[in-house]
Amino acid sequence: MVTTLAIDCGGGGIKASVLDEAGTMRARPLRVPTPYPLPPALFVRTLVDLGGRLPTADRLTVGVPGMIRHGVVVSTPHYVTRSGPRSRVDPDLQAEWSGWDARGALADAFGVPALVLNDAEVHGAGVVAGTGCELVLTLGTGLGSALFDGGVLAPHLELSHAPVRWGTTYDTYVGEPERRRLGDAFWSRRIRQVVDGLRPVFRWDRLYLGGGNSRLIRPEQLARMGDDVVVVPNTAGIVGGVRAWELSVGRRDART
């Protein structure tokens, strides 16, 4: 039986558990606050310390916010800041993270094959049915996204950075600070407006809304989105750590 250490990295917290081949957790999930400032070396130590509190595993899956290509960080929105999401960007941290081989560093640190993807992609791996066009949007500190066609993961696009209004990105428009400012009722209406606006762009067969804040969407707004929109548990960010390896076949994203 192959076991997987799955780590879901967010702007406010980092969660982990060990799963078997069926995606069943073999240990209670653990969570630690995301430390700031966070250079890559501290990121690795934080994950190693967290993993050390769980049973040993045969392989590692890590979901990281931002643009990840073949395990290399192109950009990450939170970890380059001085004190966390929405704080000032540190140019030195930005330089350290840009082009950093996260997959290689983590595979070496843990001593097992590693897979590093965008966190919404790992989340999506845990929920998609594998048929038709399926879009995953994660609602948390900001907005994450992943697109699947017939279970095949499409190249990652940072939808969160696209403008939704003049001078406002999706990340800012529906992220946690705006939810707190608006309250759940008005924020839920805003989520429905975003879904309505994206529908003609993607023409999905199924849209999954995940992430920690998806459970806060008001039922009346969810009902107005349609039967093709489903809220999924936030635990998918960890459970997807197993299925992500199946999605990666042929992509050569795993380092042995």
Side-chain angles (χ1 to χ4, degrees):
M1 179 180 64
V2 176
T3 56
T4 305
L5 170 60
I7 305 180
D8 182 15
C9 303
I14 299 173
K15 304 181 289 293
S17 185
V18 172
L19 305 99
D20 61 21
E21 291 174 328
T24 302
M25 294 186 190
R26 301 182 63 82
R28 184 174 181 177
L30 299 179
R31 182 186 186 278
V32 296
T34 304
Y36 291 98
L38 186 60
L42 177 57
F43 177 76
V44 172
R45 290 200 302 273
T46 301
L47 268 57
V48 169
D49 290 345
L50 183 59
R53 296 162 54 191
L54 291 163
T56 58
D58 301 304
R59 62 188 185 185
L60 169 69
T61 304
V62 179
V64 180
M67 178 76 77
I68 313 296
R69 287 181 180 155
H70 308 293
V72 175
V73 178
V74 178
S75 65
T76 182
H78 311 309
Y79 300 162
V80 297
T81 61
R82 297 179 188 273
S83 56
R86 306 295 189 271
S87 65
R88 183 176 299 179
V89 171
D90 185 324
D92 292 333
L93 283 175
Q94 197 168 37
E96 284 193 65
W97 278 95
S98 180
W100 179 57
D101 183 3
R103 181 187 63 201
L106 290 168
D108 291 343
F110 281 88
V112 296
L115 183 65
V116 180
L117 298 170
N118 171 271
D119 55 342
E121 294 177 338
V122 179
H123 197 106
V127 299
V128 295
T131 58
C133 179
E134 299 175 282
L135 177 65
V136 179
L137 297 179
T138 55
L139 305 167
T141 303
L143 176 72
S145 64
L147 183 65
F148 299 79
D149 182 25
V152 177
L153 178 61
H156 183 67
L157 302 176
E158 280 290 75
L159 176 64
S160 61
H161 292 175
V164 62
R165 295 177 62 180
W166 180 261
T168 303
T169 64
Y170 282 98
D171 213 29
T172 303
Y173 193 59
V174 298
E176 173 63 7
E178 275 296 272
R179 187 197 65 80
R180 291 182 178 179
R181 185 183 73 85
L182 294 170
D184 289 345
F186 285 101
W187 176 81
S188 296
R189 186 169 64 181
R190 182 170 286 189
I191 295 299
R192 178 177 58 80
Q193 292 169 346
V194 167
V195 168
D196 290 344
L198 292 177
R199 186 182 295 277
V201 177
F202 289 96
R203 296 288 183 178
W204 57 71
D205 293 300
R206 183 66 60 89
L207 167 63
Y208 302 93
L209 299 177
N213 284 347
S214 62
R215 60 185 175 83
L216 302 176
I217 299 174
R218 292 293 181 88
E220 64 273 16
Q221 296 298 336
L222 183 62
R224 294 181 65 183
M225 294 182 203
D227 294 338
D228 57 348
V229 180
V230 181
V231 172
V232 294
N234 194 35
T235 52
I238 293 178
V239 175
V242 175
R243 290 189 64 196
W245 285 81
E246 301 171 14
L247 294 171
S248 70
V249 171
R251 292 180 50 183
R252 307 187 66 172
D253 276 353
R255 174 169 297 190
T256 56

